[in-house]
Amino acid sequence: MTERDPATLTLAPIVGAQGSVALPGSKSISNRSLLLAALADGTTRLTGLLDADDTQRMIEALRLLGVRIEHDRGSGDCVVVGVGPAFPNRSASLFLGNAGTAVRPLTAVLAMQGGKYRIDGVARMRERPIGDLVDALRHQGCELDYLASAGFPPLAIGPAGGRAGGRIPIRGDVSSQFLSALLIALPVARGAADAATTVELVTPLISRPYVEITTRLMQRFGVGVATPDPSTFRVEAGARYASPGTLHVEGDASSASYFLAAGVIGGGPVRVTGVGRNSTQGDVAFADVLAKQGADLRYGDDWIEARRGRPLAGGRIDCLAIPDAAMTLAIVALFAGAPTRLTNIGSWRVKETDRIAAMATELAKLGADVAVGEDWLEVAPLASFRHAAIDTYDDHRMAMCFALAAFGGAGVTINDPACVRKTFPDFFERFAQIAGGATGPAAQALPTVIAIDGPAASGKGTVAERVARALGLRYLDSGSLYRLVALLALERNVAADDVPGLTGIAGTLAPDFSGGRIGVEGRDVTEALRSEAVSAMASRVAVHAPVRSALLARQRAFRAPPGLVAEGRDMGTVVFPDARLKVFLTASAEARAGRRHKQLIEKGISAKMDDLLRDIRERDARDSSRAAAPLAPAADAVVLDSTDLSVSAVTDAVLALYQARGGAGGRG
Ligand code: DC
């Protein structure tokens, strides 16, 4: 955000994403590096440091403690003059905002060192637990007092300090920052020159990759942490931090998640630079999760690139190691083909806000179907998004991940967007650079679409095929996808109201559209798809929102150069809301029944006009009365009544409309 912070930010519907984003520095690495550099012998130059609220809190605190820091906010270069193991100022009152990466390690270091310190933060920080860390520090003789509620900041630290040596038990299942903080503080403790100290996890460790960031950085500053087994961490006698000279801060892998997800949902490719395949940050595993879900991910030494691949799978995802990036998965789930359950996310409850509750409340505003438990969240795919104003709870990640909801077709409003300043002050500017709205860059790069919608037997299939041929564009008969689901459901005895069964078929459908025929499971079903039984079943299958969502990405994947003519019921409203030309083709029910009758007679099939008319009316009623994407012209569609027009006349009319909109040279 810039000078004035707006109260809300409305993102217009985004139709594609493409481009490259240089990531801001990693928050986790920035704050750890600042502290270690301060406690080291010698001067350290940090390059690529994150310039955001959380790092400013750490820098201010270190300056108050007597550390000289020169931070060139333009280039990200920061020079820290180390003070050796103890801070010069032995008394200070530190206000650390909502920065867990400052509160926890500073508490541990100051308590081990001893002095007269006070540590506090914003109201939410006073609700974030720190008791397990305080217990572990007291175990070593540190003096800490709770100034308000037991177990939470604010804290008063006393002069005694703590001693190294022995074994310290600590819990790992509330926040991995407790273990990280303790490890960072051990070389500062009394007697650290002569005694080794072992820290032992007494409960399983969440977010282990963050502890690995800590131990790797300690190693860069000359202090090894031995891990003889996964729950034991040992710092040897004589440990003392020494400057590595220059240290480059990697890009933030959690921040990368929003852009990678945008690449997948919006087509891509979207590239983030600053992290790559060898990153030390656990959140790069988010990219692997996306790939497993079906996305197309590519990696370099210093970049990761994401683009749409297969339709996203959904299913169960264990998020223990990637709690922050997992929030992005909760939004990605809206665009998947099946429900997604995120498990092992109990730590969300003690982050910037109760993220499980916040996520469930705000997803519901979009119209999503959400279920939650103590440590899990399940999100169903969403076919038609409602525009909503999303509350962000002073949580940067809520604001950033909900920006992705703008891909849902209805846009999204983010309340208090400035909360991103915690870790990513210019997030929305960067997001706008890769997101293609009606006027964005990616939209211009997307192949053109002509959407032709209308009721059964309106002639849209024949017209769409002829338009595609005349213009040399690709052609999508979206009804055939619903018909394929119907055919397989009939064959497998899956009932018309068995939504999970039908969604399963839709999510795994692998049709072959080559050579003007339609194949599935290795057989040609072109004729079978046109049977009356399949037609009737298709219109029943199509009423279910989860089935429609499961087919969404598959339909959008047809949009490829040189462009697409797509026909169906919701091409202009849901699937391609940004289509250059939208035509709604209609005709009287009698005229349509007459056309179908003629087709059948030509094929040598006898049929009664009355029966056909009744069938058509029933299907019209079902298609237009259903809740999910009912048959209706888009607001900006041209309605063509073909009752008294020949197929050629309608085709010519559509071609003329397209030329009037700039033909292939226009946008969208
Ligand atoms: O266009 P068609 O008759 O082949 O479509 C078969 C069924 O699929 C129809 O009853 C409605 C449904 N359908 C849909 O709901 N949305 C689409 N885009 C295409 C078809």
Side-chain angles (χ1 to χ4, degrees), residues 263-641:
V264 174
I265 302 168
V270 172
R271 179 179 287 207
V272 293
T273 60
V275 290
R277 70 162 77 80
N278 301 318
S279 170
T280 59
Q281 298 171 72
D283 267 358
V284 291
F286 170 83
D288 302 332
V289 173
L290 281 182
K292 255 212 206 113
Q293 293 289 302
D296 178 351
L297 269 292
R298 299 172 195 192
Y299 303 80
D301 287 339
D302 185 47
W303 55 267
I304 305 178
E305 194 175 271
R307 63 185 87 198
R308 185 181 294 140
R310 282 177 283 119
L312 293 168
R316 248 181 130 85
I317 305 175
D318 182 341
C319 300
L320 189 68
I322 52 165
D324 286 352
M327 293 177 75
T328 312
L329 291 174
I331 308 292
V332 171
L334 298 170
F335 300 90
T340 305
R341 181 181 285 226
L342 307 179
T343 62
N344 262 325
I345 53 168
S347 66
W348 281 21
R349 299 224 179 253
V350 296
K351 298 279 177 143
E352 279 79 344
T353 182
D354 177 342
R355 287 176 168 170
I356 293 186
M359 187 57 83
T361 306
E362 303 310 313
L363 282 171
K365 288 185 187 167
L366 298 173
D369 200 352
V370 188
V372 300
E374 195 40 42
D375 67 347
W376 58 268
L377 175 86
E378 182 165 313
V379 183
L382 184 58
S384 42
F385 282 61
R386 277 203 295 268
H387 185 101
I390 301 300
D391 287 318
T392 47
Y393 308 80
D394 202 19
D395 183 349
H396 55 138
R397 299 207 186 284
M398 284 294 288
M400 294 191 278
C401 65
F402 271 92
L404 295 167
F407 284 99
V412 69
T413 296
I414 305 290
N415 290 338
D416 185 24
C419 68
V420 300
R421 71 166 98 75
K422 187 171 198 288
T423 56
F424 201 157
D426 59 353
F427 170 78
F428 287 106
E429 286 84 347
R430 308 264 185 107
F431 191 71
Q433 280 166 14
I434 58 119
T439 56
Q444 301 187 17
L446 278 174
T448 187
V449 173
I450 300 176
I452 304 183
D453 289 306
S458 58
K460 61 190 180 336
T462 319
V463 170
E465 259 189 295
R466 289 196 184 185
V467 170
R469 210 172 316 126
L471 297 172
L473 300 181
R474 291 155 60 101
Y475 165 58
L476 167 64
D477 162 14
S478 61
S480 67
L481 294 173
Y482 291 91
R483 288 174 181 270
L484 279 162
V485 175
L487 176 72
L488 294 178
L490 290 170
E491 289 177 355
R492 298 178 192 172
N493 285 322
V494 175
D497 58 357
D498 176 359
V499 179
L502 296 172
T503 310
I505 295 176
T508 54
L509 200 61
D512 173 9
F513 286 101
S514 51
R517 310 289 299 174
I518 305 177
V520 72
E521 295 174 338
R523 56 205 164 100
D524 187 329
V525 294
T526 317
E527 269 77 43
L529 289 181
R530 308 317 301 182
S531 79
E532 290 305 307
V534 168
S535 299
M537 183 70 167
S539 97
R540 300 177 68 192
V541 159
V543 302
H544 304 301
V547 174
R548 305 195 70 84
S549 325
L551 294 176
L552 200 54
R554 194 174 298 280
Q555 296 173 78
R556 288 186 177 149
F558 278 83
R559 180 181 214 166
L564 177 69
V565 182
E567 58 104 338
R569 303 293 190 284
D570 59 349
M571 298 299 101
T573 49
V574 174
V575 182
F576 303 108
D578 63 316
R580 169 110 52 87
L581 171 64
K582 299 178 188 178
V583 174
F584 191 83
L585 206 54
T586 152
S588 70
E590 289 76 9
R592 289 185 282 130
R595 287 174 194 165
R596 174 83 7 118
H597 189 246
K598 191 162 161 247
Q599 276 172 4
L600 291 174
I601 299 298
E602 277 167 5
K603 281 198 227 160
I605 304 171
S606 70
K608 286 216 206 79
M609 263 301 282
D610 285 356
D611 293 348
L612 292 173
L613 188 57
R614 195 191 54 237
D615 274 5
I616 277 192
R617 288 199 166 121
E618 273 174 16
R619 279 220 276 162
D620 281 358
R622 201 158 29 220
D623 290 349
S624 50
S625 67
R626 68 185 178 212
L631 176 66
D636 50 348
V638 179
V639 179
L640 279 182
D641 187 332

